[in-house]
Amino acid sequence: MNDIILLKLGEIVLKGLNRKGFEQKLMGNVRRRLVPYGKFKVYCLQSTVYVEAAEENVDMDAAFEAVQKVFGVVKVSRAAPCEKDKDAIARKAIEYLHDDMLRARSFKVESKRSDKSFPMSSIQLSQYVGGELAEAYPQCRVDVHEPELTVFIEIRDLAAYIHAAPVAGAGGMPVGSNGVAVTLLSGGIDSPVSTYMIAKRGVRLIPVHFFSFPYTSQQAKDKVVELARLLTQYCGRMTLEVVPFTHIQEEIRDKCPEEFFTLIMRRFMMRIAEKIALSNGAKAIVTGENLGQVASQTMEAMASTQAVIDLPVLQPLVGMDKEEIVQMSRKIGTFDTSILPYEDCCTVFTPRHPRTRPTVAEVEEAESVLDVEALVEESLQGIERIHVDLEGMA
Ligand code: ATP
Ligand code: MG
C-alpha cells in the first residue's frame, strides 16, 4: 500500500469568498504537476489536499518533491498507511516515527476519523496510541499543551494514516488565481527570480525574451528556454515568446546618440511587451530591475522606460541586494543556468558612457528619428512561440 501526501493550504483559506475557486485552481495545478510521476487521485477536504496513488508503481518520492514547489501550499506531509486496527496503528506509529520520537522530548497524538464506523472515538484512539508510544520511547513524555512533536492519525475510508511533522510548502497563492502578466525573461540571474516571485502571488506568466541573432547566439536562446523550463516547476506550463530584436537594435545603433542606446532599447522592450500583454489579457509587465544595479536602473532611467506604456510594471526585486537575489536563484534552481556565459541583447551595443539621469524628453528626442510603430509591428510579426512544459522534469 502506498503512502499518501497531505497538503495544507495557505493564504487561500483566508479568502472566504474565493476559496472554492482557489482550491480548484490548486488541485488542477497539483494534478498537472504530478503527470510525469504516474496516476494520482487528488481531492480536497477541510483545507487539506490529499494526493493518493491511483495505480501501482507511481513515483511517490518525486511526487513529494514536486508538490513542495506548487504555490498555495504552506505545509506538506507524507503519511504512512496501515490497517484500521488499533494495535496495527500503534505498531506502525512506533516503527514509522522512530526518528521523530527519539528526537523529541515531548509529544501528543491527534486523531481524526472520517470513517465513523471505526470502533473507538478519536480521543480513545489518541490515548491508546499515545500510551503505546510513551512505553516504546520513555524519554519522550506526553504533553498535550505544548508538545514538540504532534503525531497525527487519520482513519479514512481505505486505511488509517500516520504522519508527523510536515515540511514547508512553497507558500503563496495558486498560479492562475490572481490574473496574468507578461514577464521579461533575459538569460540573467535576476529575471527568473522576479518571475518566480510574481508567480508566487498567484499570477500566471507569459515569458517574453528579446533575441538579437546573430549578435546573441542560439545558445543564448536555448539558455532562456531552459530557464523557462526550470520555472515551470513553479509557474506551470508556459509559452515563451521569443521576439526578434536585431533590426531594432541595429536601427538604434545606426541612428541614435550612443549614450541613449540602452534606454531606447528598453523602451522598445516595454512597448512590445505591452502589445503582447494586451493580446493575451495580461494586466502587468514584470521585470527583474533592481534599483541602482546598472545604469538603466536609476529612477530617472526607469521613468523613461515606463513612460511608453500604460500597464503597471512590477519589479519585485527592486529593493533587494544582489546577494539576496543570488541566494533565491540558487534556492529555486535557476542560478547554474543563469551563469552560463552567453551574451544577452542588453550587452550588445552597450554605450561607453550611458546616460544615467535622462529626462523623458531627452530620450524621446533621441528616439524621434526612428519609425517606432513600424519597428514594433515588424518584431511582433516575427515572434516565435515555444511551449515549455514539465515533460521529463526530474
Ligand atoms: P537580468 O539578470 O534579469 O538579466 P539585469 O540585472 O541584467 O537583469 P538588465 O539587463 O538591465 O538587468 O535588465 C533588466 C530587466 O529587463 C531584466 O531583469 C529583464 O526583466 C529585462 N530584460 C533584459 N534583457 C532582456 C531580454 N533580452 N529579453 C527579455 N527581457 C529582458
Ligand atoms: Mg541582463
Side-chain angles (χ1 to χ4, degrees):
M1 204 189 303
N2 270 305
D3 43 359
I4 65 167
I5 300 172
L6 307 174
L7 312 176
K8 272 270 162 231
L9 307 199
E11 291 178 46
I12 71 173
V13 175
L14 305 174
K15 307 262 172 178
L17 278 179
N18 295 331
R19 180 168 151 180
K20 265 276 163 298
F22 283 21
E23 286 175 355
Q24 293 301 332
K25 273 270 184 303
L26 177 65
M27 285 193 285
N29 293 349
V30 168
R31 284 189 191 105
R32 257 196 305 282
R33 189 67 186 79
L34 293 178
V35 166
Y37 312 119
K39 284 202 165 52
F40 295 87
K41 200 170 126 196
V42 177
Y43 55 94
C44 185
L45 290 172
Q46 295 157 345
S47 301
T48 303
V49 170
Y50 292 78
V51 176
E52 280 179 27
E55 62 180 4
E56 290 293 315
N57 299 326
V58 298
D59 189 343
M60 220 46 182
D61 290 338
F64 186 58
E65 286 289 314
V67 294
Q68 290 171 41
K69 294 178 177 153
V70 176
F71 291 127
V73 176
V74 283
K75 287 183 205 157
V76 187
S77 33
R78 218 170 145 166
C82 84
E83 195 191 325
K84 288 193 277 185
D85 165 81
K86 71 179 192 333
D87 292 308
I89 293 170
R91 269 199 309 278
K92 188 73 173 190
I94 290 168
E95 171 207 320
Y96 184 64
L97 301 173
H98 178 80
D99 294 350
D100 301 88
M101 286 299 295
L102 284 182
R103 232 176 295 134
R105 279 164 301 178
S106 59
F107 81 103
K108 74 168 176 183
V109 178
E110 240 183 69
S111 305
K112 257 195 225 148
R113 295 184 318 159
S114 59
D115 169 10
K116 301 293 181 198
S117 70
F118 189 75
M120 289 168 109
S121 73
S122 301
I123 293 173
Q124 287 170 331
L125 180 64
S126 296
Q127 282 172 346
Y128 180 74
V129 177
E132 297 292 300
L133 278 168
E135 204 169 290
Y137 300 97
Q139 98 302 338
C140 191
R141 68 190 162 78
V142 175
D143 179 349
V144 291
H145 300 297
E146 280 185 59
E148 275 181 29
L149 171 68
T150 302
V151 172
F152 296 92
I153 299 172
E154 303 204 21
I155 309 291
R156 306 190 61 79
D157 287 350
L158 299 175
Y161 293 93
I162 295 153
H163 64 97
V167 299
M173 301 156 88
V175 168
S177 65
N178 227 351
V180 185
V182 159
T183 183
L184 299 195
L185 191 61
S186 70
I189 294 171
D190 300 342
S191 48
V193 177
S194 50
T195 304
Y196 169 92
M197 285 176 74
I198 297 300
K200 185 171 182 177
R201 300 314 302 160
V203 177
R204 186 168 71 73
L205 290 160
I206 302 167
V208 171
H209 178 67
F210 297 93
F211 184 47
S212 292
F213 192 78
Y215 301 104
T216 56
S217 61
Q218 177 65 34
Q219 285 130 309
K221 181 165 114 186
D222 294 346
K223 172 180 166 182
V224 175
V225 174
E226 174 62 9
L227 286 170
R229 196 184 69 87
L230 290 169
L231 286 166
T232 59
Q233 296 179 87
Y234 310 96
C235 302
R237 64 188 163 187
M238 297 190 290
T239 300
L240 172 67
E241 310 240 347
V242 181
V243 180
F245 210 48
T246 314
H247 189 204
I248 289 176
Q249 287 202 282
E250 287 173 340
E251 282 282 297
I252 297 172
R253 177 197 60 191
D254 294 344
K255 299 185 178 159
C256 299
E258 183 180 329
E259 58 181 344
F260 292 107
F261 280 0
T262 311
L263 294 169
I264 297 172
M265 179 195 76
R266 298 198 59 74
R267 282 158 65 92
F268 273 96
M269 287 185 178
M270 288 304 186
R271 291 184 180 106
I272 293 168
E274 185 175 59
K275 295 261 192 221
I276 295 172
L278 293 176
S279 58
N280 285 282
K283 297 291 191 291
I285 315 263
V286 181
T287 74
E289 284 165 299
N290 179 244
L291 197 57
Q293 195 187 84
V294 291
S296 61
Q297 295 176 6
T298 63
M299 288 182 278
E300 290 84 350
M302 288 181 186
S304 87
T305 34
Q306 292 180 19
V308 293
I309 58 168
D310 294 322
L311 285 182
V313 180
L314 307 181
Q315 304 170 322
L317 312 186
V318 76
M320 289 169 78
D321 288 343
K322 190 71 189 185
E323 194 43 45
E324 295 172 307
I325 301 171
V326 164
Q327 267 176 27
M328 266 195 93
S329 99
R330 285 187 196 279
K331 193 189 96 187
I332 67 176
T334 51
F335 182 77
D336 291 343
T337 304
S338 285
I339 59 171
L340 294 173
Y342 311 116
E343 297 252 317
D344 180 50
C345 71
C346 288
T347 47
V348 181
F349 313 139
T350 312
R352 279 158 297 182
H353 304 290
R355 277 294 284 276
T356 51
R357 311 223 177 278
T359 65
V360 175
E362 285 171 326
V363 190
E364 281 172 355
E365 165 72 24
E367 186 186 77
S368 62
V369 291
L370 302 177
D371 187 346
V372 171
E373 252 175 60
L375 286 167
V376 166
E377 196 46 42
E378 180 191 320
S379 275
L380 288 169
Q381 292 306 321
I383 287 179
E384 177 194 5
R385 295 192 174 79
I386 301 174
H387 299 288
V388 278
D389 209 339
L390 295 166
E391 220 67 68
M393 178 70 66

